[in-house]
Amino acid sequence: TTKTTKGKTVSNFQRPLSGPIPLQPSLPAKSNSLPSSISQQPANNYSGLQFPMPGSLINPYSNQFNASPSRQNHGQINRTRAEQLFDETRRLHMMNQDNDLFDHTTPPEVLYTIFLDLRNDYYANRESFKEDKTKFRLFRLENKFLERNDPRIIYKFAKLYRYDEGNEESKKKAVIYLKLSADLGYAKAQTFYGLCLLKGECVEKNEKEGFKYLKKAAKQNDLRGLHLYAISLYNGVGTAKNEAFGSIYMKDAADQGNAESQMYYGLWSKDPIISHEYIEKAANNKSKNKCTKAKFYLAKDFMEGRGVVRNLQRAIEIFSELYEKERDHEALLYLIKCLKETDYGLAIYYMKIFS
């Protein structure tokens, strides 16, 4: 309805007394092409125009907007820019979170605990982001951790890179970190880096330099380092051969419970009773670093009666166990030798398997 007020005509839209409120006036049927008369119409005359659905102009990715190919490409460009902006914003947000985690005043033990927590998170989720380590805070904060010069943390970063399968660059980086930690005085790193030098793994082989690092580790009573130092002395690797001193250091590591050292000292001992005693200790050692090979030499002692009363049945039991669990062919060969004296038919059966 319209009314005239002081010579002006004013339109008043009246709402119906009942029924739904109309959201928009009815529009003509949608046309795929714009009328040719549009360019001749005044700018404020919208009669006959077909508008896109609300929101289509704001969102160029809407399916309701029948855009031309050029507009679709423009939408793809906008989408890429939006994704880049989102990624950059997310990266900056994560950096701010990372920077708040610790600083140069954080106590060493607290810092080490933070590192272990982040490392455990990496171990739990590494399969999900195997190709991109930057998804993990542990690696985003790597340089910041290294700035603190904590040899324990540097050593553990070295191990993370050392066991990155199929990546030679990671292994080279691991050796660099090992040397850095070793030079800071960390015994485990000295042992590991010394072994790399002895073998020439991801670093130029240098037995003399490797021996020096093993000696440093041995002085700090790192059992693995002490064990390798004793072997180097005994065999003359990187230093003059000295079996007597090698045996002394090996006994030291053996008496501290290192299973592999117990086996080696038993094999090196000239006294058969002492030899059997240490080999038996190694075979029955329940520590984390077990020495399965010691069981083989224990069975040989029972088979030959070396340092113990000869017991073929006990030897057969151990050799059988080694073959069944480890598929040790050498153990199978000795099992056959024992069975030839006790059960020739069973020996023939195992000979067929061996052949």
Side-chain angles (χ1 to χ4, degrees), residues 79-119:
R79 180 192 292 273
T80 303
R81 288 174 181 170
E83 289 173 348
Q84 291 174 348
L85 181 61
F86 175 78
D87 289 343
E88 180 64 17
T89 304
R90 182 174 177 272
R91 187 182 68 82
L92 292 174
H93 176 66
M94 289 190 299
M95 285 178 61
N96 290 333
Q97 285 185 321
D98 294 343
N99 290 333
D100 293 339
L101 195 58
F102 64 88
D103 56 28
H104 67 282
T105 64
T106 305
E109 292 307 316
V110 175
L111 181 71
Y112 189 60
T113 302
I114 292 171
F115 169 82
L116 292 178
D117 288 342
L118 295 180
R119 187 198 62 173

Short mmCIF file of all heavy atoms in Angstrom, two decimals, residues 79-119:
data_model
loop_
_atom_site.label_atom_id
_atom_site.label_comp_id
_atom_site.label_asym_id
_atom_site.label_seq_id
_atom_site.Cartn_x
_atom_site.Cartn_y
_atom_site.Cartn_z
N ARG A 79 41.58 -20.37 -3.17
CA ARG A 79 41.62 -21.50 -2.25
C ARG A 79 43.09 -21.79 -1.85
O ARG A 79 43.39 -21.99 -0.67
CB ARG A 79 41.02 -22.73 -2.90
CG ARG A 79 41.04 -23.97 -1.99
CD ARG A 79 40.70 -25.20 -2.80
NE ARG A 79 39.34 -25.19 -3.25
CZ ARG A 79 38.30 -25.67 -2.55
NH1 ARG A 79 38.51 -26.16 -1.34
NH2 ARG A 79 37.09 -25.64 -3.02
N THR A 80 43.98 -21.80 -2.85
CA THR A 80 45.39 -22.06 -2.55
C THR A 80 45.96 -21.01 -1.62
O THR A 80 46.66 -21.31 -0.66
CB THR A 80 46.20 -22.09 -3.86
OG1 THR A 80 45.65 -23.08 -4.72
CG2 THR A 80 47.66 -22.42 -3.59
N ARG A 81 45.63 -19.75 -1.88
CA ARG A 81 46.11 -18.68 -1.02
C ARG A 81 45.56 -18.81 0.39
O ARG A 81 46.26 -18.57 1.37
CB ARG A 81 45.72 -17.32 -1.61
CG ARG A 81 46.51 -16.95 -2.86
CD ARG A 81 45.99 -15.69 -3.48
NE ARG A 81 46.73 -15.34 -4.68
CZ ARG A 81 46.36 -14.39 -5.53
NH1 ARG A 81 45.25 -13.70 -5.31
NH2 ARG A 81 47.10 -14.14 -6.59
N ALA A 82 44.29 -19.21 0.48
CA ALA A 82 43.68 -19.38 1.79
C ALA A 82 44.35 -20.51 2.56
O ALA A 82 44.61 -20.39 3.76
CB ALA A 82 42.19 -19.66 1.63
N GLU A 83 44.64 -21.61 1.86
CA GLU A 83 45.31 -22.74 2.51
C GLU A 83 46.71 -22.34 2.96
O GLU A 83 47.15 -22.69 4.05
CB GLU A 83 45.39 -23.92 1.54
CG GLU A 83 44.03 -24.57 1.29
CD GLU A 83 44.10 -25.65 0.21
OE1 GLU A 83 45.14 -25.71 -0.49
OE2 GLU A 83 43.12 -26.40 0.06
N GLN A 84 47.43 -21.59 2.10
CA GLN A 84 48.76 -21.13 2.48
C GLN A 84 48.71 -20.22 3.69
O GLN A 84 49.54 -20.33 4.60
CB GLN A 84 49.42 -20.41 1.30
CG GLN A 84 49.78 -21.32 0.14
CD GLN A 84 50.31 -20.54 -1.05
OE1 GLN A 84 50.18 -19.31 -1.10
NE2 GLN A 84 50.88 -21.25 -2.01
N LEU A 85 47.73 -19.33 3.71
CA LEU A 85 47.58 -18.43 4.85
C LEU A 85 47.27 -19.20 6.11
O LEU A 85 47.82 -18.92 7.19
CB LEU A 85 46.47 -17.41 4.55
CG LEU A 85 46.21 -16.37 5.65
CD1 LEU A 85 47.46 -15.53 5.88
CD2 LEU A 85 45.04 -15.47 5.26
N PHE A 86 46.40 -20.21 5.98
CA PHE A 86 46.05 -21.03 7.15
C PHE A 86 47.28 -21.78 7.67
O PHE A 86 47.54 -21.81 8.87
CB PHE A 86 44.95 -22.02 6.77
CG PHE A 86 44.62 -22.99 7.87
CD1 PHE A 86 43.82 -22.62 8.93
CD2 PHE A 86 45.13 -24.29 7.85
CE1 PHE A 86 43.52 -23.50 9.95
CE2 PHE A 86 44.85 -25.18 8.86
CZ PHE A 86 44.02 -24.78 9.91
N ASP A 87 48.04 -22.39 6.74
CA ASP A 87 49.24 -23.14 7.14
C ASP A 87 50.26 -22.23 7.82
O ASP A 87 50.89 -22.62 8.81
CB ASP A 87 49.88 -23.82 5.93
CG ASP A 87 49.03 -24.99 5.43
OD1 ASP A 87 48.17 -25.45 6.20
OD2 ASP A 87 49.22 -25.41 4.27
N GLU A 88 50.44 -21.02 7.27
CA GLU A 88 51.40 -20.09 7.85
C GLU A 88 50.95 -19.65 9.24
O GLU A 88 51.76 -19.56 10.17
CB GLU A 88 51.57 -18.88 6.93
CG GLU A 88 52.56 -17.85 7.42
CD GLU A 88 53.98 -18.38 7.49
OE1 GLU A 88 54.26 -19.42 6.87
OE2 GLU A 88 54.81 -17.74 8.16
N THR A 89 49.65 -19.39 9.37
CA THR A 89 49.12 -18.99 10.68
C THR A 89 49.28 -20.11 11.69
O THR A 89 49.66 -19.89 12.84
CB THR A 89 47.62 -18.63 10.55
OG1 THR A 89 47.47 -17.61 9.56
CG2 THR A 89 47.07 -18.13 11.88
N ARG A 90 49.01 -21.34 11.25
CA ARG A 90 49.16 -22.50 12.14
C ARG A 90 50.62 -22.68 12.54
O ARG A 90 50.93 -22.97 13.70
CB ARG A 90 48.66 -23.75 11.42
CG ARG A 90 48.72 -25.03 12.24
CD ARG A 90 48.05 -26.16 11.46
NE ARG A 90 48.17 -27.41 12.20
CZ ARG A 90 49.21 -28.24 12.08
NH1 ARG A 90 50.20 -27.93 11.27
NH2 ARG A 90 49.26 -29.36 12.78
N ARG A 91 51.53 -22.47 11.57
CA ARG A 91 52.96 -22.63 11.86
C ARG A 91 53.41 -21.60 12.89
O ARG A 91 54.14 -21.92 13.85
CB ARG A 91 53.77 -22.48 10.58
CG ARG A 91 55.26 -22.78 10.75
CD ARG A 91 56.01 -22.57 9.45
NE ARG A 91 56.05 -21.15 9.10
CZ ARG A 91 56.93 -20.29 9.61
NH1 ARG A 91 57.83 -20.70 10.49
NH2 ARG A 91 56.91 -19.03 9.25
N LEU A 92 52.99 -20.35 12.72
CA LEU A 92 53.36 -19.30 13.67
C LEU A 92 52.78 -19.57 15.05
O LEU A 92 53.43 -19.34 16.07
CB LEU A 92 52.88 -17.93 13.15
CG LEU A 92 53.59 -17.42 11.89
CD1 LEU A 92 52.92 -16.15 11.39
CD2 LEU A 92 55.06 -17.16 12.17
N HIS A 93 51.55 -20.10 15.06
CA HIS A 93 50.92 -20.42 16.34
C HIS A 93 51.70 -21.52 17.05
O HIS A 93 51.95 -21.45 18.27
CB HIS A 93 49.49 -20.87 16.10
CG HIS A 93 48.76 -21.31 17.34
ND1 HIS A 93 48.45 -20.45 18.37
CD2 HIS A 93 48.32 -22.54 17.73
CE1 HIS A 93 47.84 -21.11 19.34
NE2 HIS A 93 47.75 -22.38 18.97
N MET A 94 52.11 -22.56 16.29
CA MET A 94 52.88 -23.65 16.88
C MET A 94 54.23 -23.15 17.37
O MET A 94 54.73 -23.57 18.41
CB MET A 94 53.05 -24.78 15.87
CG MET A 94 51.78 -25.55 15.59
SD MET A 94 52.05 -27.07 14.63
CE MET A 94 52.74 -26.42 13.13
N MET A 95 54.84 -22.23 16.59
CA MET A 95 56.13 -21.70 17.02
C MET A 95 56.01 -20.94 18.34
O MET A 95 56.87 -21.06 19.22
CB MET A 95 56.70 -20.77 15.94
CG MET A 95 57.27 -21.49 14.73
SD MET A 95 57.87 -20.34 13.47
CE MET A 95 59.13 -19.46 14.38
N ASN A 96 54.93 -20.19 18.48
CA ASN A 96 54.72 -19.47 19.73
C ASN A 96 54.55 -20.45 20.89
O ASN A 96 55.07 -20.24 21.98
CB ASN A 96 53.49 -18.56 19.63
CG ASN A 96 53.74 -17.38 18.70
OD1 ASN A 96 54.89 -16.95 18.55
ND2 ASN A 96 52.69 -16.86 18.09
N GLN A 97 53.79 -21.54 20.63
CA GLN A 97 53.62 -22.56 21.66
C GLN A 97 54.96 -23.22 21.99
O GLN A 97 55.28 -23.45 23.15
CB GLN A 97 52.63 -23.62 21.19
CG GLN A 97 51.17 -23.16 21.23
CD GLN A 97 50.25 -24.30 20.87
OE1 GLN A 97 50.54 -25.11 20.00
NE2 GLN A 97 49.12 -24.38 21.55
N ASP A 98 55.76 -23.52 20.95
CA ASP A 98 57.05 -24.17 21.16
C ASP A 98 57.99 -23.28 21.97
O ASP A 98 58.70 -23.75 22.86
CB ASP A 98 57.69 -24.50 19.81
CG ASP A 98 56.91 -25.57 19.05
OD1 ASP A 98 56.08 -26.25 19.68
OD2 ASP A 98 57.11 -25.68 17.83
N ASN A 99 58.00 -21.99 21.65
CA ASN A 99 58.91 -21.08 22.32
C ASN A 99 58.59 -20.93 23.80
O ASN A 99 59.45 -20.56 24.59
CB ASN A 99 58.88 -19.71 21.64
CG ASN A 99 59.51 -19.74 20.26
OD1 ASN A 99 60.37 -20.57 19.99
ND2 ASN A 99 59.07 -18.87 19.37
N ASP A 100 57.34 -21.18 24.15
CA ASP A 100 56.94 -21.06 25.55
C ASP A 100 57.25 -22.32 26.36
O ASP A 100 57.05 -22.33 27.57
CB ASP A 100 55.43 -20.76 25.65
CG ASP A 100 55.09 -19.38 25.10
OD1 ASP A 100 56.01 -18.54 25.04
OD2 ASP A 100 53.93 -19.16 24.72
N LEU A 101 57.71 -23.38 25.69
CA LEU A 101 57.89 -24.66 26.38
C LEU A 101 59.07 -24.62 27.35
O LEU A 101 58.99 -25.14 28.46
CB LEU A 101 58.08 -25.77 25.36
CG LEU A 101 57.93 -27.20 25.87
CD1 LEU A 101 56.55 -27.40 26.47
CD2 LEU A 101 58.15 -28.20 24.74
N PHE A 102 60.19 -24.03 26.93
CA PHE A 102 61.35 -23.89 27.81
C PHE A 102 62.24 -22.78 27.28
O PHE A 102 62.11 -22.34 26.13
CB PHE A 102 62.13 -25.20 27.93
CG PHE A 102 62.75 -25.67 26.64
CD1 PHE A 102 64.02 -25.25 26.26
CD2 PHE A 102 62.08 -26.54 25.80
CE1 PHE A 102 64.60 -25.67 25.08
CE2 PHE A 102 62.65 -26.97 24.62
CZ PHE A 102 63.91 -26.53 24.25
N ASP A 103 63.16 -22.31 28.11
CA ASP A 103 64.11 -21.29 27.69
C ASP A 103 65.47 -21.57 28.33
O ASP A 103 65.68 -22.65 28.91
CB ASP A 103 63.61 -19.88 28.03
CG ASP A 103 63.30 -19.72 29.52
OD1 ASP A 103 63.92 -20.44 30.33
OD2 ASP A 103 62.45 -18.90 29.87
N HIS A 104 66.39 -20.62 28.25
CA HIS A 104 67.75 -20.84 28.73
C HIS A 104 67.83 -20.96 30.25
O HIS A 104 68.86 -21.38 30.79
CB HIS A 104 68.67 -19.71 28.25
CG HIS A 104 68.34 -18.38 28.86
ND1 HIS A 104 67.28 -17.60 28.44
CD2 HIS A 104 68.93 -17.70 29.88
CE1 HIS A 104 67.23 -16.49 29.15
NE2 HIS A 104 68.23 -16.52 30.02
N THR A 105 66.74 -20.58 30.95
CA THR A 105 66.75 -20.66 32.41
C THR A 105 66.17 -21.97 32.94
O THR A 105 66.21 -22.23 34.14
CB THR A 105 65.96 -19.49 33.02
OG1 THR A 105 64.58 -19.60 32.62
CG2 THR A 105 66.52 -18.15 32.56
N THR A 106 65.63 -22.81 32.04
CA THR A 106 65.02 -24.07 32.48
C THR A 106 66.09 -24.99 33.07
O THR A 106 67.12 -25.22 32.44
CB THR A 106 64.34 -24.78 31.29
OG1 THR A 106 63.40 -23.89 30.68
CG2 THR A 106 63.62 -26.04 31.75
N PRO A 107 65.88 -25.53 34.28
CA PRO A 107 66.87 -26.42 34.90
C PRO A 107 67.13 -27.65 34.03
O PRO A 107 66.22 -28.14 33.34
CB PRO A 107 66.21 -26.81 36.23
CG PRO A 107 65.23 -25.73 36.50
CD PRO A 107 64.74 -25.27 35.17
N PRO A 108 68.37 -28.18 34.03
CA PRO A 108 68.73 -29.31 33.17
C PRO A 108 67.82 -30.53 33.31
O PRO A 108 67.45 -31.14 32.31
CB PRO A 108 70.17 -29.63 33.60
CG PRO A 108 70.70 -28.36 34.14
CD PRO A 108 69.53 -27.68 34.79
N GLU A 109 67.46 -30.89 34.54
CA GLU A 109 66.63 -32.08 34.73
C GLU A 109 65.21 -31.87 34.20
O GLU A 109 64.59 -32.78 33.66
CB GLU A 109 66.59 -32.49 36.20
CG GLU A 109 67.92 -33.00 36.73
CD GLU A 109 68.49 -34.12 35.87
OE1 GLU A 109 67.72 -35.03 35.48
OE2 GLU A 109 69.70 -34.10 35.57
N VAL A 110 64.70 -30.64 34.36
CA VAL A 110 63.38 -30.32 33.80
C VAL A 110 63.45 -30.35 32.28
O VAL A 110 62.55 -30.89 31.60
CB VAL A 110 62.91 -28.94 34.29
CG1 VAL A 110 61.59 -28.55 33.62
CG2 VAL A 110 62.76 -28.93 35.81
N LEU A 111 64.52 -29.80 31.73
CA LEU A 111 64.71 -29.81 30.27
C LEU A 111 64.77 -31.24 29.75
O LEU A 111 64.15 -31.57 28.73
CB LEU A 111 66.00 -29.08 29.93
CG LEU A 111 66.33 -28.97 28.44
CD1 LEU A 111 65.39 -27.99 27.76
CD2 LEU A 111 67.78 -28.53 28.23
N TYR A 112 65.50 -32.10 30.45
CA TYR A 112 65.63 -33.50 30.03
C TYR A 112 64.28 -34.22 30.09
O TYR A 112 63.95 -35.02 29.21
CB TYR A 112 66.65 -34.21 30.92
CG TYR A 112 67.02 -35.59 30.45
CD1 TYR A 112 67.59 -35.80 29.20
CD2 TYR A 112 66.82 -36.71 31.26
CE1 TYR A 112 67.95 -37.06 28.76
CE2 TYR A 112 67.18 -37.98 30.83
CZ TYR A 112 67.73 -38.14 29.59
OH TYR A 112 68.07 -39.40 29.15
N THR A 113 63.48 -33.92 31.10
CA THR A 113 62.15 -34.52 31.21
C THR A 113 61.26 -34.06 30.06
O THR A 113 60.51 -34.87 29.48
CB THR A 113 61.50 -34.13 32.55
OG1 THR A 113 62.34 -34.57 33.62
CG2 THR A 113 60.12 -34.76 32.69
N ILE A 114 61.34 -32.78 29.70
CA ILE A 114 60.56 -32.26 28.56
C ILE A 114 60.97 -32.99 27.28
O ILE A 114 60.13 -33.40 26.48
CB ILE A 114 60.78 -30.74 28.42
CG1 ILE A 114 60.14 -29.99 29.59
CG2 ILE A 114 60.19 -30.24 27.09
CD1 ILE A 114 60.49 -28.51 29.64
N PHE A 115 62.28 -33.16 27.11
CA PHE A 115 62.77 -33.87 25.93
C PHE A 115 62.22 -35.29 25.87
O PHE A 115 61.75 -35.75 24.82
CB PHE A 115 64.30 -33.90 25.92
CG PHE A 115 64.86 -34.83 24.88
CD1 PHE A 115 65.00 -34.42 23.58
CD2 PHE A 115 65.22 -36.14 25.22
CE1 PHE A 115 65.49 -35.28 22.61
CE2 PHE A 115 65.72 -37.00 24.26
CZ PHE A 115 65.85 -36.58 22.94
N LEU A 116 62.28 -36.01 26.98
CA LEU A 116 61.80 -37.40 27.01
C LEU A 116 60.32 -37.48 26.69
O LEU A 116 59.88 -38.40 25.98
CB LEU A 116 62.10 -38.04 28.36
CG LEU A 116 63.58 -38.26 28.71
CD1 LEU A 116 63.71 -38.86 30.10
CD2 LEU A 116 64.26 -39.17 27.68
N ASP A 117 59.54 -36.53 27.19
CA ASP A 117 58.09 -36.51 26.90
C ASP A 117 57.84 -36.33 25.41
O ASP A 117 57.00 -37.00 24.81
CB ASP A 117 57.40 -35.40 27.69
CG ASP A 117 57.31 -35.71 29.18
OD1 ASP A 117 57.47 -36.89 29.54
OD2 ASP A 117 57.11 -34.78 29.98
N LEU A 118 58.57 -35.39 24.80
CA LEU A 118 58.40 -35.14 23.37
C LEU A 118 58.90 -36.32 22.53
O LEU A 118 58.31 -36.65 21.50
CB LEU A 118 59.16 -33.87 22.97
CG LEU A 118 58.65 -32.57 23.58
CD1 LEU A 118 59.50 -31.39 23.12
CD2 LEU A 118 57.19 -32.32 23.23
N ARG A 119 59.98 -36.97 22.99
CA ARG A 119 60.48 -38.15 22.28
C ARG A 119 59.48 -39.29 22.34
O ARG A 119 59.24 -39.99 21.35
CB ARG A 119 61.81 -38.60 22.88
CG ARG A 119 62.49 -39.70 22.09
CD ARG A 119 63.54 -40.41 22.89
NE ARG A 119 62.97 -41.07 24.08
CZ ARG A 119 63.66 -41.87 24.87
NH1 ARG A 119 64.93 -42.11 24.64
NH2 ARG A 119 63.09 -42.41 25.93
#
